[in-house]
Amino acid sequence: MCDAAGNATPTVLIDNDRVRVTRWHFKGRGDNTGWHRHEYDYVVVPLFDGVLDIKLAGGETVDAQMLNGVPYYRELGVEHDVRNGNDFECAFVEIELLEPRGESGAGIADLLKA
Amino acid sequence: MCDAAGNATPTVLIDNDRVRVTRWHFKGRGDNTGWHRHEYDYVVVPLFDGVLDIKLAGGETVDAQMLNGVPYYRELGVEHDVRNGNDFECAFVEIELLEPRGESGAGIADLLKA
């Protein structure tokens, strides 16, 4: 999902028809994902207590507090560069939902009935 | 997702149209989820290094080695009771995919073309 290279390390751990699960590892303060736009809805599970400095497209920076194992969900379209805001290495697990949103199950039944 | 109560503690942290994310917390050795059958495909992100003793429907027990932040994916239909196999408290995060498998995106396009 990277458009501009950062120096954090992404490792894809699961990749199938439904999800791509990537661990992002940041060695030290300031290590970053690089600028990217999320093409899929996603869940993040932080593996540390600390801060991510998230640079947004408008120039704003958000200091996002992370708690180990406390996840958050975001919809596709988010564009940012995520930086380690801590004096220690840290990592999170990102679960991207590869299937389009809201086009499954009942949606198909509705289409076929129409 | 529990059918028979265990003494591990589930906490639902995200619940929307796409995913339900639950943290399971096990205080001590032998704490368990209770018997349950997974109704959805799911990803587990362990938050510890250690062992889960997983009792399967056939009577078999599997000692599953967990590594902090190393996820695994399972399809719906799994039936088991998951127990803490460690002398310490532990937890994992479970991400259930609430939408039916393989009925989205290209699938719809194919249906409409057919």
Side-chain angles (χ1 to χ4, degrees):
Chain A
M1 65 177 207
C2 262
D3 301 324
N7 53 1
T9 305
T11 306
V12 175
L13 299 168
I14 299 171
D15 193 0
N16 60 32
D17 289 344
R18 307 208 70 185
V19 293
R20 180 169 53 212
V21 184
T22 306
R23 187 175 51 225
W24 283 90
H25 181 248
F26 304 76
K27 276 194 185 171
R29 178 182 285 274
D31 278 11
N32 69 321
T33 58
W35 280 97
H36 59 278
R37 183 183 180 281
H38 281 269
E39 304 296 336
Y40 303 100
D41 296 342
Y42 63 102
V43 176
V44 166
V45 181
L47 299 175
F48 66 102
D49 296 334
V51 176
L52 291 177
D53 293 336
I54 302 180
K55 294 188 182 297
L56 304 176
E60 193 188 358
T61 298
V62 174
D63 291 342
Q65 295 288 331
M66 301 285 126
L67 288 173
N68 185 30
V70 179
Y72 55 93
Y73 176 88
R74 294 290 183 272
E75 293 187 352
L76 60 81
V78 174
E79 197 171 348
H80 56 197
D81 182 18
V82 177
R83 290 171 180 267
N84 179 0
N86 312 287
D87 290 326
F88 50 83
E89 65 180 338
C90 65
F92 59 78
V93 174
E94 173 189 80
I95 300 102
E96 294 176 283
L97 308 179
L98 303 182
E99 293 164 315
R101 185 195 313 162
E103 293 184 2
S104 61
I108 285 178
D110 293 344
L111 278 171
L112 293 178
K113 268 186 253 168
Chain B
M1 66 177 207
C2 262
D3 301 324
N7 53 1
T9 304
T11 305
V12 175
L13 299 168
I14 298 171
D15 193 1
N16 60 32
D17 289 345
R18 306 207 70 184
V19 294
R20 181 170 51 212
V21 184
T22 306
R23 187 176 52 226
W24 284 89
H25 180 248
F26 306 74
K27 276 194 186 170
R29 177 181 286 275
D31 278 10
N32 68 321
T33 57
W35 279 97
H36 58 278
R37 182 181 182 283
H38 281 269
E39 304 297 336
Y40 304 100
D41 296 342
Y42 63 102
V43 176
V44 166
V45 180
L47 299 174
F48 66 101
D49 296 335
V51 176
L52 291 177
D53 293 336
I54 303 180
K55 294 187 183 299
L56 304 176
E60 193 188 357
T61 297
V62 175
D63 290 342
Q65 294 289 331
M66 301 287 126
L67 289 173
N68 186 31
V70 179
Y72 56 93
Y73 175 88
R74 295 291 182 272
E75 292 187 352
L76 61 81
V78 174
E79 197 173 347
H80 56 195
D81 182 17
V82 177
R83 292 171 179 266
N84 179 0
N86 311 288
D87 289 327
F88 50 83
E89 66 179 337
C90 66
F92 59 77
V93 174
E94 173 189 80
I95 299 100
E96 295 175 282
L97 308 179
L98 304 182
E99 292 164 316
R101 184 196 313 162
E103 295 185 359
S104 64
I108 286 178
D110 293 343
L111 278 169
L112 294 178
K113 269 186 255 168

